Amino acid sequence: MTSEYKEKLQAYGVNLDSALNRFMDNEQFYERILSKFPMDENFILMERSLNENNISLAFRYAHTLKGLVATLDLTNISDILIPMTEKLRTGDTEGMQDLFDQLKVQYKLICDLITEHKAR
């Protein structure tokens, strides 16, 4: 991983030290797994479930995404997904659209960064 990419990841809320520790300091392995993040379908499926008001299914996708985000240490996304997942767990949808809108912004930022880096 280039130092420029590392700096950008950290600026986008990636706790790189913790993530690399989890990946036994294998930057190449972490980068390979991170590069697949934009292709994961849980975000899209969660959005669809929320739009269909299928809260139990939205919870399942949010919870799965939360685990993936935690593994990769994408803290900006995790900070939104944690309360969102807990609200969905109990069926509480108050403020859900605001949380999802925040999540969508952070998700797009990190996915765009990863995709842009992969294209190089």
Side-chain angles (χ1 to χ4, degrees):
M1 246 187 297
T2 66
S3 59
E4 179 187 345
Y5 187 44
K6 287 179 185 180
E7 288 174 16
K8 285 183 178 180
L9 287 170
Q10 290 172 326
Y12 281 64
V14 177
N15 185 339
L16 206 48
D17 291 336
S18 175
L20 288 174
N21 185 49
R22 183 172 293 109
F23 282 78
M24 298 178 292
D25 292 317
N26 187 334
E27 288 184 13
Q28 187 177 19
F29 181 50
Y30 176 77
E31 190 173 5
R32 187 167 31 128
I33 301 304
L34 182 65
S35 72
K36 296 177 183 190
F37 180 73
M39 295 175 277
D40 181 79
E41 294 186 352
N42 284 290
F43 179 85
I44 293 165
L45 295 170
M46 178 181 60
E47 181 176 31
R48 183 180 308 149
S49 299
L50 286 170
N51 288 337
E52 295 170 355
N53 204 33
N54 188 335
I55 302 308
S56 63
L57 202 52
F59 165 73
R60 183 183 314 164
Y61 295 125
H63 192 267
T64 303
L65 185 60
K66 184 179 84 163
L68 178 57
V69 164
T71 300
L72 295 170
D73 256 307
L74 308 179
T75 55
N76 285 0
I77 295 175
S78 184
D79 289 348
I80 300 165
L81 263 177
I82 290 170
M84 195 172 171
T85 303
E86 290 312 307
K87 287 174 81 64
L88 289 169
R89 180 188 310 274
T90 63
D92 178 8
T93 59
E94 186 176 329
M96 188 58 61
Q97 189 60 53
D98 289 339
L99 284 170
F100 186 77
D101 290 345
Q102 293 172 39
L103 178 66
K104 195 172 195 172
V105 168
Q106 293 302 315
Y107 181 83
K108 182 174 177 3
L109 286 172
I110 196 70
C111 286
D112 287 351
L113 176 64
I114 294 165
T115 304
E116 173 190 312
H117 178 73
K118 249 177 38 175
R120 291 183 180 183

